[in-house]
Amino acid sequence: MADRLTALMAHFPVNAQVFNVGALCGFNTLESDGTNGQLHLVRRGAVEVQYDRKLIHIERPSLLLFPRPLTRRFITDPERGADMVCANLSFEGDAGNPISSALPDVVCLPLENIVGAEPVLSLLFEEAFGQRCGRVALVERLFEVMMIQVLRHLMESGEVKGGLLSGLSHPRLRNALVAMHETPAQEWTLDALANVAGMSRSVFATTFRRTVGITPGQYLQGWRVQLAQKALRYGRPLKAVATEVGYGSEAALSRAFKAQSGQSPRKWKASHP
């Protein structure tokens, strides 16, 4: 089976920064900073979470993921509180990150339901609530590992309907998506992608659109432009970027870039320093 996450995480990693370890008591509002998502691990205690006029009631140890900026309110017992470890999540590419944009607004999972996560969680809580040197750096890396565990869980359980994660959950489409992620510069035709998926051309095209929500060509263009945007952020010249992401010239990349983002590469870069 093709590794569905390696190329994605290599191009668009997530970084965690711990901001809370310990009991959260009473009423606590966390305002959106307009940039970061957040991951909360509830080790003990009941928590009510309010956001966008919605409620989540947490009664057992759970993971709560907000992949995009969102203001929410936590309500816990004013005396006993709830033991929590919380981290800000910075996704490479911000709003253009394909992983964060593929996730639902909120993911809430009982910790016991995340297969294979128990050793990671055990070490994370031990380090977070201990006093050993380097514990914050270690806990932040473990939060990043937990993000991979969450993505695995969502793909293997098929809980996300539509979009990239739904495509990566499909036993055949995943092969075409991984191929595009790993070798974007290859001249991918519909026939070539269907062959990688082990499907006929027509069945592949229909299944891809129904599952992912867009055509294979639209997805490939979006992926290439996302890679180009990342490269431009790092100061790479447009001519070199065009070749790396599968376009034969600056003009060809510029056309795809404007069709995808609504801006020329130059204007986009000026607004995304």
Side-chain angles (χ1 to χ4, degrees):
M1 181 190 299
D3 190 321
R4 293 170 281 176
L5 290 177
T6 295
L8 269 176
M9 299 299 289
H11 286 296
F12 295 96
V14 56
N15 295 300
Q17 184 176 24
V18 172
F19 68 88
N20 175 77
V21 175
L24 205 62
C25 301
F27 295 82
N28 293 271
T29 299
L30 297 181
E31 299 286 347
S32 165
D33 65 0
T35 302
N36 293 308
Q38 291 189 339
L39 181 57
H40 308 272
L41 298 173
V42 182
R43 186 189 194 192
R44 179 197 60 81
V47 183
E48 181 180 278
V49 186
Q50 301 176 347
Y51 68 97
D52 285 349
R53 299 182 181 179
K54 299 177 184 178
L55 288 175
I56 297 176
H57 296 279
I58 297 173
E59 301 290 342
R60 52 180 169 163
S62 296
L63 174 149
L64 188 62
L65 169 64
F66 295 90
R68 294 173 290 280
L70 183 67
T71 295
R72 56 257 183 239
R73 192 183 199 193
F74 292 85
I75 303 173
T76 62
D77 185 278
E79 295 183 1
R80 294 191 301 273
D83 287 342
M84 298 176 63
V85 186
C86 310
N88 286 317
L89 299 177
S90 173
F91 291 89
E92 173 79 43
D94 299 329
N97 183 285
I99 298 173
S100 64
S101 59
L103 288 163
D105 289 338
V106 182
V107 176
C108 186
L109 299 169
L111 297 183
E112 63 186 20
N113 289 2
I114 308 174
V115 177
E118 195 281 328
V120 178
L121 288 165
S122 178
L123 178 58
L124 189 154
F125 286 135
E126 179 185 343
E127 290 290 334
F129 289 93
Q131 297 298 324
R132 302 177 67 184
C133 65
R135 69 186 181 94
V136 173
L138 180 54
V139 170
E140 289 176 347
R141 300 295 81 75
L142 292 172
F143 262 104
E144 293 161 13
V145 172
M146 280 307 305
M147 273 300 303
I148 297 174
Q149 297 276 13
V150 171
L151 293 171
R152 279 182 179 175
H153 173 86
L154 294 176
M155 290 189 299
E156 292 169 1
S157 65
E159 292 180 18
V160 177
K161 304 300 181 184
L164 172 59
L165 293 181
S166 187
L168 290 173
S169 301
H170 193 282
R172 292 185 180 273
L173 294 183
R174 66 177 63 168
N175 296 320
L177 284 163
V178 170
M180 286 187 273
H181 292 163
E182 291 183 342
T183 54
Q186 187 163 326
E187 189 176 342
W188 289 114
T189 63
L190 187 59
D191 286 329
L193 289 169
N195 184 58
V196 170
M199 305 168 76
S200 71
R201 186 178 189 272
S202 60
V203 171
F204 171 72
T206 301
T207 305
F208 194 102
R209 182 158 196 163
R210 184 177 64 243
T211 304
V212 182
I214 55 177
T215 68
Q218 289 170 329
Y219 183 84
L220 179 60
Q221 176 177 279
W223 174 248
R224 286 171 166 172
V225 170
Q226 286 171 326
L227 295 178
Q229 288 173 337
K230 178 185 175 183
L232 291 175
R233 279 178 179 268
Y234 285 91
R236 300 292 311 287
L238 189 61
K239 183 176 181 179
V241 173
T243 302
E244 290 172 3
V245 300
Y247 291 101
S249 66
E250 293 182 44
L253 173 56
S254 294
R255 287 192 296 270
F257 202 105
K258 188 166 186 178
Q260 190 70 28
S261 68
Q263 293 180 302
S264 68
R266 182 174 287 102
K267 286 185 177 180
W268 182 91
K269 186 178 179 182
S271 62
H272 296 79

